[in-house]
Coordinates of all heavy atoms in Angstrom, one line a residue:
G1028 N 60.3 -110.8 -190.2 CA 60.0 -110.5 -191.7 C 59.4 -109.2 -191.7 O 58.5 -108.8 -191.0
P1029 N 59.9 -108.2 -192.5 CA 59.4 -106.9 -192.6 C 58.1 -106.7 -193.3 O 57.5 -105.8 -192.9 CB 60.5 -106.3 -193.6 CG 61.2 -107.3 -194.4 CD 61.1 -108.6 -193.5
H1030 N 57.6 -107.8 -193.9 CA 56.3 -107.7 -194.5 C 55.2 -107.9 -193.6 O 54.0 -107.6 -193.8 CB 56.2 -108.7 -195.7 CG 56.4 -110.1 -195.1 ND1 57.6 -110.7 -194.9 CD2 55.3 -111.1 -194.8 CE1 57.4 -111.9 -194.4 NE2 56.1 -112.1 -194.4
R1031 N 55.5 -108.3 -192.3 CA 54.4 -108.6 -191.3 C 53.9 -107.4 -190.5 O 52.8 -107.4 -190.0 CB 54.9 -109.7 -190.3 CG 55.2 -111.0 -191.0 CD 55.6 -111.9 -190.0 NE 56.3 -113.1 -190.6 CZ 55.5 -114.1 -191.1 NH1 54.3 -114.2 -190.9 NH2 56.2 -115.2 -191.5
I1032 N 54.8 -106.4 -190.5 CA 54.5 -105.1 -189.7 C 54.4 -104.0 -190.7 O 55.4 -103.6 -191.3 CB 55.5 -105.0 -188.6 CG1 55.4 -106.2 -187.6 CG2 55.1 -103.7 -187.8 CD1 56.5 -106.3 -186.6
R1033 N 53.3 -103.4 -190.7 CA 53.0 -102.2 -191.7 C 53.1 -101.0 -190.8 O 52.6 -100.9 -189.6 CB 51.7 -102.3 -192.3 CG 51.3 -101.1 -193.2 CD 50.0 -101.3 -193.9 NE 48.9 -101.7 -193.1 CZ 48.0 -100.7 -192.7 NH1 48.2 -99.6 -192.6 NH2 47.2 -101.3 -191.9
E1043 N 50.2 -107.4 -190.5 CA 49.7 -107.9 -191.8 C 49.7 -109.4 -191.8 O 50.8 -109.9 -191.7 CB 50.3 -107.3 -192.8 CG 50.2 -105.6 -193.0 CD 48.8 -105.3 -193.2 OE1 48.1 -106.0 -193.9 OE2 48.4 -104.3 -192.5
G1045 N 49.1 -113.1 -193.6 CA 48.9 -113.8 -194.9 C 49.5 -113.2 -196.1 O 50.3 -112.4 -196.0
A1046 N 49.1 -113.7 -197.4 CA 49.8 -113.5 -198.6 C 49.7 -112.0 -199.0 O 50.6 -111.5 -199.6 CB 49.2 -114.4 -199.7
E1047 N 48.6 -111.4 -198.5 CA 48.4 -109.8 -198.9 C 49.4 -108.9 -198.4 O 49.8 -108.0 -198.8 CB 47.0 -109.4 -198.5 CG 46.7 -109.3 -197.0 CD 46.3 -110.6 -196.4 OE1 46.0 -111.5 -197.0 OE2 46.0 -110.6 -195.3
A1048 N 50.2 -109.5 -197.4 CA 51.2 -108.7 -196.7 C 52.5 -108.6 -197.5 O 53.2 -107.7 -197.5 CB 51.5 -109.3 -195.2
A1049 N 52.8 -109.7 -198.1 CA 54.0 -109.8 -198.9 C 54.1 -108.8 -200.1 O 53.4 -108.9 -201.0 CB 54.4 -111.2 -199.3
G1050 N 54.9 -107.8 -199.9 CA 55.0 -106.9 -200.9 C 53.9 -105.8 -201.2 O 53.8 -105.2 -202.0
A1051 N 53.0 -105.8 -200.2 CA 51.8 -105.1 -200.2 C 52.2 -103.4 -200.2 O 53.2 -103.1 -199.5 CB 50.9 -105.3 -199.2
P1052 N 51.5 -102.6 -201.0 CA 51.8 -101.2 -200.8 C 51.7 -100.8 -199.3 O 50.8 -101.3 -198.6 CB 50.7 -100.4 -201.5 CG 50.2 -101.6 -202.5 CD 50.4 -102.8 -201.8
G1053 N 52.7 -99.9 -198.9 CA 52.8 -99.5 -197.5 C 53.6 -100.3 -196.6 O 53.9 -99.9 -195.6
T1054 N 54.1 -101.4 -197.2 CA 55.1 -102.2 -196.4 C 56.5 -101.6 -196.7 O 56.8 -101.0 -197.6 CB 55.0 -103.6 -196.6 OG1 55.4 -103.9 -198.0 CG2 53.6 -104.1 -196.4
D1055 N 57.3 -102.2 -195.9 CA 58.8 -101.7 -196.0 C 59.6 -102.8 -196.8 O 60.8 -103.0 -196.7 CB 59.5 -101.5 -194.7 CG 58.9 -100.3 -193.9 OD1 58.4 -99.4 -194.6 OD2 59.0 -100.3 -192.8
E1056 N 58.9 -103.5 -197.7 CA 59.5 -104.5 -198.4 C 60.4 -103.9 -199.6 O 59.9 -102.9 -200.1 CB 58.5 -105.5 -199.2 CG 57.9 -106.5 -198.4 CD 59.0 -107.6 -198.0 OE1 59.3 -108.4 -199.1 OE2 59.4 -107.7 -196.9
P1057 N 61.5 -104.5 -200.0 CA 62.3 -103.9 -200.9 C 61.4 -103.9 -202.2 O 60.6 -104.8 -202.4 CB 63.4 -105.0 -201.2 CG 63.7 -105.5 -199.8 CD 62.2 -105.6 -199.3
G1058 N 61.6 -102.8 -203.0 CA 60.8 -102.8 -204.3 C 59.6 -102.0 -204.2 O 58.8 -101.9 -205.1
T1059 N 59.3 -101.4 -203.1 CA 58.0 -100.7 -202.8 C 58.4 -99.2 -202.8 O 57.4 -98.5 -202.3 CB 57.3 -101.1 -201.5 OG1 58.2 -100.9 -200.4 CG2 56.9 -102.6 -201.6
N1060 N 59.6 -98.9 -203.2 CA 59.8 -97.4 -203.3 C 59.8 -96.7 -201.8 O 59.5 -95.6 -201.8 CB 59.0 -96.6 -204.2 CG 59.7 -95.2 -204.6 OD1 60.9 -95.1 -204.4 ND2 58.8 -94.4 -205.2
Q1061 N 60.2 -97.4 -200.8 CA 60.1 -96.9 -199.4 C 61.5 -96.3 -199.3 O 62.5 -96.7 -199.8 CB 60.0 -98.0 -198.4 CG 58.5 -98.6 -198.5 CD 57.5 -97.5 -198.0 OE1 57.8 -96.8 -197.0 NE2 56.3 -97.5 -198.6

Side-chain angles (χ1 to χ4, degrees):
H1030 62 280
R1031 296 183 196 278
I1032 300 174
R1033 176 175 54 92
E1043 294 299 321
E1047 68 273 4
T1054 64
D1055 292 335
E1056 276 293 292
T1059 60
N1060 198 21
Q1061 293 292 322

